[in-house]
Amino acid sequence: MAKVLIIDAAPMLRDFVKEKLSSERVEVETATNRDAYTKMINTLPDLIILNIDKHSSGNPINENIVDFFQKKSRDPNSKTTPIIITGPNLSTEAVAKLVQFGVIKYFKKPIKFDVFFDAIGKQLNGIFSIDTTPCVLDLHLNDNNNVIFIEVAMGLNREKISLLKYKISELINANDLSYPKVILMMTSLSLSFVDGMNLELLFNNILADNRISRKNVKVLSLDSIVSELIEGHPEYEGIEVTKDLSTILNSIVTPKNSSSGANVADVISDNILTATAETQDSESMGMRFATDTETAEELKSEGTTLRVAAVDDDQIVRALIHKAFLSIGAETDLFASGREFVEKVVEKKEKHYDIIILDIFMNDMNGFEVLIKLKENTIATPVIVYSQAIKRDMIVKSLSLGARSYVLKPQKPENIVKKAMEVLNAGKTE
């Protein structure tokens, strides 16, 4: 049986990696910097995974690590043992200097776990099973209300779901949440009975932290399979499933003051309208695959033509969107009204688009009506609503009608492109 020694890793990284490796029949030992050398000579691992962090000196390679490297290089039994390091961003020169100590890979945080485990598997002469189901799984926190937002889209990926329980606990600990509340948003998921096991895994991982009470878990889903699963499991009693985001927010958010609805609007603005971004310094494992984060520049270099439909009655906005997507080689068709778009594209279905940028306030046919037409004609092209509408009901309605994301005007054109790439790349696995 292969052996791996994990040194000085944060609890989330240590526990998640240990769980994954153990499931692959790999023996795992853990150590701190102080007892790392003793553990190494006693266990004689086939691979060492070493975590390093930033220090006030600016150099993450501290004296303890240097001492460990030197002792390792002098020991005939461990001198050639390979090391994989996880840590902050280092210069190419700094990483190159680590090779002399047996370092074969350096992973900058947050780690893309699919590439990480692939590297471990290759080093241990094995191939680890990785679920590559297209899946978006993101976490947000409204710390004023102890509300953790979890968004799941595209599909259910067991690897990301397994990591979720560690991410939740890390979030609770980092923000000292006493009575955390969870809103699970799954409106874009279309499920079948075969997803039952993955759904159970999802709910079990959300409830794994005993600080989360079932009565404080609310689920937004349009799929009857979710509600049937909750109703059929006594251990999930107390979890509420609804199709109305507004109802969930009003029931779970504690108002800051007597102004009714003001705080709920803040929650929506802070957690739904804000582009997803992972905290680079605190996170050790990213919730995305490496291929989820393909950039616009990479897309352009590969010669892939992105097809964009921009539906907005503001000529200046249309021109800015066109120019922004043109910079990455995208083909953008502009529509001056919702009706024009529906008549030329939705009803005739003569042209396919990769993404639609849609305004809400248009005279002849507003954005809501366009979303309804898309749904009626079973057109699943992802839609980003780009609008000045800031009222809670309008935002909730857009998302409920199938919009994948909501971005407030005005934005720099490059931000619209960035959001489009986030939405598109979320479904890629190859």
Side-chain angles (χ1 to χ4, degrees):
M1 179 181 291
K3 297 180 182 179
V4 171
L5 176 63
I6 302 176
I7 302 174
D8 213 31
M12 187 192 75
L13 174 63
R14 180 195 64 216
D15 295 342
F16 176 64
V17 173
K18 185 174 182 178
E19 179 182 302
K20 176 63 180 176
L21 295 183
S22 297
S23 71
E24 300 286 346
R25 302 181 63 80
V26 175
E27 183 179 332
V28 179
E29 292 285 344
T30 61
T32 65
N33 272 330
R34 290 190 180 92
D35 65 350
Y37 178 70
T38 302
K39 279 286 185 72
M40 180 185 67
I41 60 176
N42 286 337
T43 60
L44 296 178
D46 300 290
L47 174 68
I48 296 170
I49 299 174
L50 171 65
N51 177 70
I52 60 175
D53 293 307
K54 292 180 179 178
H55 295 279
S56 57
S57 64
N59 183 11
I61 310 298
N62 60 32
E63 293 180 2
N64 288 333
I65 294 175
V66 172
D67 182 59
F68 171 74
F69 282 158
Q70 290 175 344
K71 289 180 177 178
K72 175 181 177 296
S73 63
R74 292 194 295 265
D75 188 284
N77 294 319
S78 59
K79 181 178 181 179
T80 59
T81 302
I83 301 175
I84 291 177
I85 293 184
T86 64
N89 191 22
L90 291 183
S91 67
T92 304
E93 294 77 12
V95 174
K97 291 180 181 179
L98 297 174
V99 174
Q100 62 181 306
F101 300 111
V103 176
I104 57 170
K105 289 281 185 180
Y106 188 96
F107 286 93
K108 183 182 72 172
K109 301 175 187 176
I111 306 161
K112 307 306 177 188
F113 62 77
D114 54 334
V115 179
F116 181 69
F117 284 116
D118 181 63
I120 295 174
K122 288 179 179 177
Q123 191 59 43
L124 299 178
N125 297 318
I127 299 177
F128 291 168
S129 59
I130 296 290
D131 185 357
T132 57
T133 300
C135 173
V136 177
L137 204 165
D138 287 321
L139 281 78
H140 308 276
L141 174 67
N142 179 273
D143 52 6
N144 290 325
N145 292 286
N146 288 358
V147 179
I148 299 172
F149 286 76
I150 303 173
E151 180 184 5
V152 184
M154 303 300 293
L156 296 172
N157 182 289
R158 294 186 67 85
E159 311 295 349
K160 296 185 179 184
I161 293 173
S162 296
L163 179 58
L164 179 62
K165 67 179 177 183
Y166 300 108
K167 303 288 285 187
I168 290 175
S169 293
E170 181 186 56
L171 198 61
I172 292 174
N173 292 333
N175 294 276
D176 195 23
L177 304 183
S178 301
Y179 301 100
K181 305 167 186 177
V182 174
I183 294 180
L184 175 62
M185 300 183 289
M186 301 193 297
T187 54
S188 64
L189 277 182
S190 180
L191 303 170
S192 67
F193 71 93
V194 298
D195 295 303
M197 290 183 62
N198 287 340
L199 275 175
E200 289 182 3
L201 181 64
L202 175 61
F203 290 119
N204 290 342
N205 279 318
I206 291 174
L207 297 171
D209 194 302
N210 57 20
R211 290 168 290 186
I212 296 178
S213 169
R214 287 174 292 184
K215 68 179 182 180
N216 285 333
V217 177
K218 311 296 180 182
V219 182
L220 179 69
S221 176
L222 307 178
D223 202 304
S224 61
I225 291 177
V226 176
S227 56
E228 290 171 1
L229 177 73
I230 297 296
E231 292 172 2
H233 278 255
E235 59 267 36
Y236 302 149
E237 184 178 355
I239 296 177
E240 178 186 354
V241 182
T242 182
K243 298 180 181 179
D244 184 3
L245 177 60
S246 180
T247 299
I248 287 180
L249 291 172
N250 283 316
S251 68
I252 204 169
V253 173
T254 304
K256 299 176 187 174
N257 49 50
S258 58
S259 300
S260 61
N263 193 61
V264 174
D266 289 343
V267 172
I268 294 176
S269 177
D270 291 343
N271 294 282
I272 297 177
L273 303 186
T274 303
T276 299
E278 295 183 283
T279 305
Q280 297 293 319
D281 291 336
S282 64
E283 293 194 54
S284 49
M285 297 295 287
M287 294 297 289
R288 299 174 182 269
F289 288 120
T291 46
D292 288 341
T293 54
E294 181 183 41
T295 63
E297 288 75 14
E298 289 170 338
L299 184 67
K300 183 178 179 181
S301 67
E302 292 173 0
T304 303
T305 300
L306 181 68
R307 296 174 294 277
V308 181
V311 188
D312 198 306
D313 59 3
D314 188 320
Q315 183 177 358
I316 295 177
V317 172
R318 294 198 305 273
L320 288 173
I321 291 175
H322 179 267
K323 183 177 180 180
F325 281 101
L326 186 63
S327 68
I328 63 167
E331 174 188 309
T332 306
D333 289 341
L334 307 178
F335 301 88
S337 71
R339 187 169 301 281
E340 179 189 4
F341 174 73
V342 168
E343 291 177 350
K344 291 183 177 180
V345 178
V346 178
E347 294 176 348
K348 293 183 178 180
K349 295 184 180 180
E350 292 180 350
K351 192 164 187 178
H352 167 76
Y353 293 97
D354 297 296
I355 198 157
I356 300 166
I357 312 298
L358 175 67
D359 187 20
I360 290 296
F361 296 130
M362 294 181 288
N363 291 325
D364 60 343
M365 180 180 285
N366 63 42
F368 299 134
E369 294 172 297
V370 173
L371 287 169
I372 291 171
K373 288 291 185 181
L374 287 169
K375 184 173 289 188
E376 289 176 348
N377 287 268
T378 62
I379 295 177
T381 305
V383 177
I384 295 176
V385 171
Y386 182 43
S387 176
Q388 291 178 328
I390 60 174
K391 291 184 178 180
R392 181 193 65 189
D393 292 345
M394 290 186 175
I395 298 167
V396 171
K397 186 174 181 179
S398 298
L399 298 172
S400 298
L401 288 173
R404 178 64 185 85
S405 186
Y406 197 110
V407 181
L408 284 177
K409 287 182 179 178
Q411 294 280 339
K412 292 181 179 180
E414 56 265 30
N415 288 342
I416 304 300
V417 175
K418 181 180 178 181
K419 172 55 68 174
M421 297 309 299
E422 287 179 4
V423 171
L424 289 169
N425 290 331
K428 294 186 178 182
T429 59
E430 297 297 334

